[in-house]
Amino acid sequence: MGLPVILHDGFERHLVALVESMTTERLAAIERLGTPEIVLSRRRAEALGLAPPVPGETVRLHVPAGAELAWLAAISGQDGRGRSDADPSLPRGTAGSAPHDAAIRMAIALQAVPAVIVVALDGQDESGIAELGLSGMPLSLLTEALRQSSAQVPISSASLPMDVSTAGRVQVFRPDDGGIEHFTIEIGTPDLSAPVMVRLHPACFTGDVLGSTKCDCGPQLRAAMTAMAAAGGGVLLYLNQEGRDIGLANKLRAYALQDAGLDTVEANHWLGFEDDQRDFRTGARILASLGIRQVRLMTNNPAKTASLSAHGIEVVERVPLRVGHTAQNAHYLATKAAKSGHLL
């Protein structure tokens, strides 16, 4: 919902609010509770020139008195311009502590820009904190929940004839933490007793649906389905991890930054994200629940192979997917090969 929450850590209480959903009224109310700080991921701090002297997962800066939403947007990278360490209005950063680190991880899990406002509620008694009417959570439980990979529960399934094969089936999996659903798409009639042709395909609205030529996702999706049908069967895991799991809104922010001259990795870092935020343990869990233990994995990404192998799925063969190269995505693909290790 984008509402602030209270993190409990022993006797300490911290109010945490997303910069992305901040309003003028909310910021003023937070300032009445104490001195607010803006907390950034290390990647965003590096873009601002703050990280080298401040090692750690997060960096925090005091919000200057009278700061407006435009200042918060600039510091967090939401305005597409950012600031430099030469800017005299940029406060000095210090390393974040456990509550600040957890708050940033929570923002990333919500696919929000990894920038939060945090205020220590040192001067507030329990009754005063309760009167705020905000949800509270113990820091230790939150940290553990963010560390774990949630279980995937099968919800529903139905047969679905498709262009590539009249024999098909779609099944919906829902994580037990209330997160985004994922889908398995059976093409043909795969033999689950033998190594199954499998693709872990993270969702790409712009490529899969709109036919974008900025990436190779749409052609990879269609080529994988065609190859599975030709081979007699396969399983495509459609993982809702848009934009390497930063979400469509942030993906479009990254696209705008790429139009301004950054490559795909630099754009993610500018917004405060890592190169790739995806967790492929989700795919391993779903495959295991289907009884699939050996796969012929259709991918150009060694990270997918390594993740499945590390979580109990034997990759007996990597099947390349070299399709979808265009003039518009040549630089994007070159960056994936050079910086992310994709085998193109």
Side-chain angles (χ1 to χ4, degrees), residues 242-297:
E242 182 78 45
R244 302 190 192 127
D245 213 17
I246 66 174
L248 183 58
N250 288 314
K251 175 181 171 180
L252 295 181
R253 289 183 175 118
Y255 274 3
L257 290 168
Q258 290 171 44
D259 290 341
L262 300 185
D263 66 35
T264 181
V265 171
E266 292 167 342
N268 270 27
H269 291 178
W270 185 261
L271 292 171
F273 296 103
E274 294 298 326
D275 305 16
D276 194 337
Q277 298 285 163
R278 293 174 292 187
D279 183 353
F280 295 121
R281 291 179 298 175
T282 300
R285 284 178 178 269
I286 293 176
L287 289 172
S289 72
L290 296 174
I292 298 175
R293 293 294 180 179
Q294 293 184 315
V295 300
R296 299 173 59 224
L297 188 63

Side-chain angles (χ1 to χ4, degrees), residues 80-95:
R81 295 182 292 114
R83 294 172 181 263
S84 73
D85 56 346
D87 189 329
S89 68
L90 189 64
R92 182 177 180 82
T94 57

Side-chain angles (χ1 to χ4, degrees), residues 201-247:
H201 188 88
C204 177
F205 172 75
T206 50
D208 299 343
V209 178
L210 302 181
S212 166
T213 58
K214 288 177 68 72
C215 65
D216 55 347
C217 301
Q220 284 188 326
L221 173 65
R222 291 181 283 276
M225 295 176 70
T226 300
M228 289 176 184
V235 176
L236 188 142
L237 271 62
Y238 198 85
L239 304 175
N240 277 306
Q241 299 174 332
E242 182 78 45
R244 302 190 192 127
D245 213 17
I246 66 174

Side-chain angles (χ1 to χ4, degrees), residues 159-169 188:
S159 59
L160 183 72
M162 291 167 272
D163 290 342
V164 295
S165 174
T166 56
R169 189 169 194 84

Side-chain angles (χ1 to χ4, degrees), residues 96-175:
S97 61
H100 305 98
D101 295 349
I104 287 295
R105 290 191 216 116
M106 185 162 49
I108 291 173
L110 295 169
Q111 296 186 343
V113 168
V116 296
I117 297 296
V118 176
V119 61
L121 302 177
D122 298 332
Q124 301 286 328
D125 58 25
E126 290 296 328
S127 60
I129 293 174
E131 288 177 359
L132 297 174
L134 300 175
S135 296
M137 57 191 73
L139 177 63
S140 58
L141 294 183
L142 172 62
T143 300
E144 179 62 18
L146 291 169
R147 185 188 66 80
Q148 293 178 346
S149 175
S150 59
Q152 303 293 323
V153 181
I155 298 300
S156 62
S157 64
S159 59
L160 183 72
M162 291 167 272
D163 290 342
V164 295
S165 174
T166 56
R169 189 169 194 84
V170 176
Q171 186 167 9
V172 174
F173 285 79
R174 182 176 295 160

